[in-house]
């Protein structure tokens, strides 16, 4: 007997093969995976399970629209899950981003059980069914759900009132001895990934037996426990998510381990060979692979079923919100020097916190994508393209000492450089494990990074209004809630006092700012610099600008 387990994760509300941020077709989406799912089911008479491990309802404009603009039942993702007859779902951290009611409505819309053992009510009872024993053609399959407990760090407090999040390993050690004797196959549905990464991330590199060159991905404590969980004997399969990797097996793991990328880029497939043993079955072999959505035609039935949701989202993102008098380029160039895109985000945040009654001296933003704004009309899609995450806005009271540590961490985005031997390509100045969303840009302070120095010793100037910043000096900082909670490894911000948290997302504040200030004119603030001057070296024309566009003060 062969048991096949198909697995999706981190779909982030991507149904159709369409990128709403760029307005172009895409090689991802659940509709493409549906074709692979149906092909697999049609190819065998043996049992096939279909399971998702979270981050399902947030992450695309479709998710935002059906959480904040038009609430429908069933939710579009639940509609698709029900049509594909999913067997189980375990929520991820981003499934809490729109608040408890949106998540509860989605859960109610699902036909499959929601399984998670470590999301607890204050009295210790699990919020969802902790595990499930599902019998398929006589095979008893145990499903144990676990999610990253750092939801308590990233999420807005009002979204998780009355909940606590138990450690993954502690919860696993509690349930595995109870579940293992009752089942033939034990599967952990895990919204958590590895806390260390190989230098290259293709599936074959995850299977290398030598991990000496693997590096920390700067996870929060307890956030990513896949590597530790994979050492436990009682588990047959781990269906992993959260870290957006493509994993088809780990060399040193006891169970079979998979992780299928993100946005519906891949489908995990686990094949277990079973033989009868006494009154039950025994796993005597298995294999895993990751099936790419690239080149796969979308399933026409799922496309037709969900097309009304897709069309409503297209109408939503095509709404005009303003006009730009000149371009606002994004991408790597915007991380190398003063740029109008960062200043636009700063001004939107500073206006929002000022109108909320918590004016801030400082602002922190990220350039997370290659998208910018072209000169001319601005659509909602364009604004969303530069704010790809559904982060809310916070105001923290931070000390000069916290600020200095955060800036040193930001400077680690770059390699240590020799100014006489700079790489030919600008991308080569970025550290191997660095991601755009971990590089922060500040407004309100003057600072300089010397990239010829080692990590941790690069901040060579830090001033506020012309005076050196003192360690005990305090500032109000407008910052996204992910970073405020320590996301991206910025744990120092957890030491700061939170003064205010918004109900709306930063992208909504950006759209409001553009709408109320249209037509917008690019502004530049020369408050930070790099040694060597990478902007001048790699993008000299990018930073040319008329004198009247300079932002003073």
């Amino acid at each position: 007997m062969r048991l096949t387990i198909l697995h999706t994760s981190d779909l982030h509300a991507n149904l159709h093969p369409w990128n709403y941020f760029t307005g172009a077709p895409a090689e991802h989406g659940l509709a493409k995976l549906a074709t692979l799912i149906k092909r697999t089911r049609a190819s065998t008479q043996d049992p096939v399970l279909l399971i998702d491990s979270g981050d399902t309802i947030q992450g695309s404009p479709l998710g935002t629209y059906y959480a904040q603009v038009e609430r429908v039942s069933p939710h579009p993702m639940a509609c698709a899950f029900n049509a594909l007859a999913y067997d189980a779902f375990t929520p991820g951290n981003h499934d809490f981003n729109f608040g408890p009611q949106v998540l509860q409505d989605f859960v109610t819309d699902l036909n499959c059980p929601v399984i998670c053992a470590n999301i607890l009510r204050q009295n210790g009872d699990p919020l969802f069914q902790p595990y499930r024993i599902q019998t398929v053609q006589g095979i008893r399959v145990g499903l144990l759900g676990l999610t990253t407990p750092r939801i308590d760090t990233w999420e807005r407090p009002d979204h998780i009132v009355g909940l606590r999040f138990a450690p993954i390993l502690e919860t696993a050690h509690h349930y595995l001895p109870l579940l293992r004797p009752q089942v033939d196959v034990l599967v952990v549905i895990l919204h958590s990934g590895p806390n260390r990464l190989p230098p290259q991330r293709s599936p074959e590199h995850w299977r290398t037996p030598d991990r000496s060159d693997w590096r920390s991905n700067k996870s929060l404590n307890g956030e990513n426990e896949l590597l530790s969980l994979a050492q436990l004997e009682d588990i047959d399969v781990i269906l992993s998510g959260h870290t957006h990797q493509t994993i088809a097996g780990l060399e040193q793991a006891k169970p079979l381990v998979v992780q299928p990328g993100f946005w519906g880029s891949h489908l995990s497939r686990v094949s277990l060979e079973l033989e009868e043993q006494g009154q039950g079955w025994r796993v005597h072999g298995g294999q895993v692979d990751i099936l790419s959505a690239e080149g796969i035609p979308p399933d026409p039935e799922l496309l037709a079923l969900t097309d009304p949701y897709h069309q409503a989202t297209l109408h939503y993102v095509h709404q005009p919100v303003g006009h730009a008098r000149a371009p606002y380029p994004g991408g790597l160039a915007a991380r190398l020097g003063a740029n109008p895109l960062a200043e636009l985000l700063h001004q939107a945040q500073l206006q929002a916190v000022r109108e909320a009654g918590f004016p801030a001296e400082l602002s922190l933003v990220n350039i997370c994508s290659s998208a910018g704004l072209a000169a001319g009309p601005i659509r909602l899609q364009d604004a969303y393209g530069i704010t790809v995450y559904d982060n809310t806005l916070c105001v923290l009271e931070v000390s000069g000492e916290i600020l200095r540590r955060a800036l040193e961490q930001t400077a680690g985005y770059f390699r240590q450089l020799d100014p006489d031997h700079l790489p030919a390509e600008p991308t080569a100045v970025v550290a191997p494990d660095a991601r755009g969303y971990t590089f922060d840009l500040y407004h309100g302070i003057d600072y300089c990074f010397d990239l010829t120095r080692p990590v941790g010793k690069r901040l060579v100037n830090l001033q506020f209004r012309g005076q050196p910043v003192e360690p005990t000096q305090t500032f109000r900082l407008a910052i996204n809630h992910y970073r405020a909670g320590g996301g991206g490894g910025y744990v120092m911000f957890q030491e700061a006092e939170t003064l205010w948290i918004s109900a709306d997302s930063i992208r909504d504040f950006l759209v409001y700012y553009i709408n109320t200030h249209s037509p917008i004119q690019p502004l530049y603030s020369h408050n930070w610099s790099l040694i060597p001057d990478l902007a001048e070296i790699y993008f000299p024309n990018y930073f040319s600008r008329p004198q009247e566009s300079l932002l003073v003060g």
Side-chain angles (χ1 to χ4, degrees):
M1 178 79 75
R2 172 177 292 176
L3 171 64
T4 301
I5 304 171
L6 303 178
H7 165 233
T8 59
S9 189
D10 297 272
L11 291 169
H12 287 286
N14 283 276
L15 275 177
H16 282 225
W18 188 262
N19 189 320
Y20 296 107
F21 299 117
T22 63
E27 289 291 344
H28 62 245
L30 183 56
K32 280 176 165 283
L33 301 187
T35 298
L36 297 172
I37 292 166
K38 291 184 177 183
R39 286 178 183 175
T40 301
R41 286 171 168 163
S43 69
T44 181
Q45 297 298 312
D46 289 335
V48 178
L49 295 178
L50 176 59
I51 294 169
D52 185 86
S53 57
D55 277 7
T56 301
I57 62 174
Q58 176 276 345
S60 82
L62 182 145
T64 302
Y65 180 77
Y66 284 102
Q68 297 183 334
V69 179
E70 182 183 0
R71 300 275 288 278
V72 298
S73 182
H75 186 282
M77 296 303 293
C79 177
F81 274 31
N82 294 342
L84 292 171
Y86 271 75
D87 292 282
F89 166 74
T90 293
N93 53 295
H94 284 294
D95 295 314
F96 286 82
N97 285 170
F98 296 123
Q101 193 59 55
V102 173
L103 176 56
Q104 184 56 54
D105 289 348
F106 170 70
V107 165
T108 301
D109 289 339
L110 288 174
N111 291 340
C112 68
V114 178
I115 301 172
C116 192
N118 66 322
I119 301 177
L120 309 176
R121 295 183 173 91
Q122 288 301 324
N123 65 1
D125 292 341
L127 179 66
F128 303 109
Q129 184 178 345
Y131 65 86
R132 172 181 171 84
I133 299 175
Q134 183 166 340
T135 302
V136 287
Q137 296 188 27
I139 304 167
R140 298 169 301 164
V141 182
L143 304 174
L144 174 64
L146 298 165
T147 196
T148 177
R150 293 293 71 83
I151 297 169
D152 60 5
T153 295
W154 302 311
E155 197 49 71
R156 286 173 45 179
D158 59 309
H159 286 181
I160 52 175
V161 171
L163 299 179
R164 59 187 180 90
F165 301 85
I168 287 172
L169 293 176
E170 174 187 303
T171 307
H173 283 300
H174 173 75
Y175 280 102
L176 290 175
L178 301 175
L179 192 53
R180 181 75 258 187
Q182 304 180 61
V183 300
D184 304 309
V185 177
L186 202 157
V187 178
V188 171
I189 312 169
L190 178 68
H191 192 81
S192 177
N195 60 355
R196 297 171 60 220
L197 306 172
Q200 300 181 61
R201 314 267 164 70
S202 58
E204 60 268 22
H205 291 99
W206 285 102
R207 294 192 292 269
T208 179
D210 180 11
R211 297 183 183 175
S212 60
D213 59 350
W214 288 28
R215 300 183 182 184
S216 168
N217 64 358
K218 300 179 182 177
S219 303
L220 296 180
N221 183 39
E223 174 189 355
N224 285 308
E225 298 284 19
L226 172 62
L227 299 182
S228 296
L229 200 66
Q231 298 305 308
L232 303 185
E233 298 280 355
D234 286 336
I235 305 169
D236 295 306
V237 178
I238 299 178
L239 306 176
S240 172
H242 183 56
T243 48
H244 293 192
Q245 303 298 317
T246 49
I247 301 174
L250 290 172
E251 180 65 27
Q252 299 177 20
K254 309 291 186 191
L256 297 173
V257 176
V258 288
Q259 189 174 128
F262 62 100
W263 291 12
S265 64
H266 295 78
L267 178 72
S268 305
R269 182 172 63 187
V270 180
S271 300
L272 297 176
E273 300 295 335
L274 296 104
E275 60 183 11
E276 289 187 273
Q277 183 179 56
Q279 299 299 310
W281 296 82
R282 182 182 72 88
V283 177
H284 71 91
Q287 63 182 29
V288 297
D289 54 353
I290 299 289
L291 307 178
S292 174
E294 186 171 358
I296 301 298
D299 176 62
E301 293 181 350
L302 195 65
L303 283 182
L305 178 67
T306 59
D307 189 61
Y309 304 124
H310 175 59
Q311 295 302 324
T313 305
L314 288 176
H315 178 74
Y316 169 61
V317 299
H318 288 160
Q319 297 177 68
V321 295
H323 192 278
R325 286 178 171 167
Y328 288 75
L332 177 60
R335 302 185 195 111
L336 300 186
N339 67 87
L341 188 60
E343 194 57 43
L344 175 64
L345 292 167
H346 285 309
Q347 294 303 320
Q349 292 192 168
L350 291 169
Q351 174 179 282
V353 299
R354 185 169 58 248
E355 292 183 353
F358 291 87
E361 300 97 341
L362 312 183
S363 172
L364 176 157
V365 301
N366 319 101
I367 306 297
C368 295
S369 74
S370 59
L373 296 176
I378 303 171
R379 300 167 299 172
L380 192 68
Q381 170 183 302
D382 304 319
Y384 276 16
I386 59 176
T387 51
V388 296
Y389 299 109
D390 280 308
N391 288 323
T392 51
L393 185 60
C394 303
V395 175
L396 301 184
E397 185 172 88
V398 300
S399 67
E401 192 268 337
I402 290 174
L403 194 60
R404 183 173 292 274
R405 280 188 283 151
L407 284 161
E408 285 287 8
Q409 176 137 339
T410 285
Y413 175 76
F414 297 100
R415 296 175 184 266
Q416 187 172 359
L417 301 176
D418 179 348
D420 296 323
H421 299 90
L422 291 174
E425 295 297 324
T427 53
V429 304
V430 178
D433 296 326
R435 296 291 178 268
Y437 66 84
T438 65
F439 184 71
D440 297 334
L441 297 161
Y442 287 81
H443 173 97
I445 51 173
D446 297 291
Y447 58 101
C448 178
F449 297 139
D450 185 345
L451 304 183
T452 68
R453 297 187 174 197
V455 171
K457 299 181 178 180
R458 293 177 171 178
L459 183 62
V460 293
N461 179 54
L462 176 57
Q463 294 187 339
F464 176 69
R465 297 176 181 171
Q467 299 297 319
V469 170
E470 300 296 331
T472 57
Q473 198 170 355
T474 58
F475 307 90
R476 284 185 172 186
L477 172 66
I479 182 174
N480 70 72
H481 82 268
Y482 173 77
R483 182 70 81 243
Y490 285 80
V491 294
M492 68 287 296
F493 286 126
Q494 295 175 339
E495 302 169 28
E497 181 183 357
T498 301
L499 304 179
W500 176 77
I501 302 175
S502 71
D504 298 319
S505 70
I506 291 173
R507 61 167 54 143
D508 293 325
F509 292 127
L510 175 63
V511 169
Y512 176 73
Y513 182 87
I514 292 172
N515 187 255
T516 55
H517 289 75
S518 185
I520 56 173
Q521 172 71 38
L523 302 173
Y524 294 80
S525 177
H526 296 281
N527 67 307
W528 70 282
S529 59
L530 299 175
I531 302 173
D533 188 345
L534 300 182
E536 183 63 31
I537 293 168
Y538 291 111
F539 301 98
N541 296 325
Y542 174 94
F543 290 96
S544 62
R545 57 268 186 187
Q547 186 68 28
E548 62 267 20
S549 295
L550 296 180
L551 178 69
V552 180

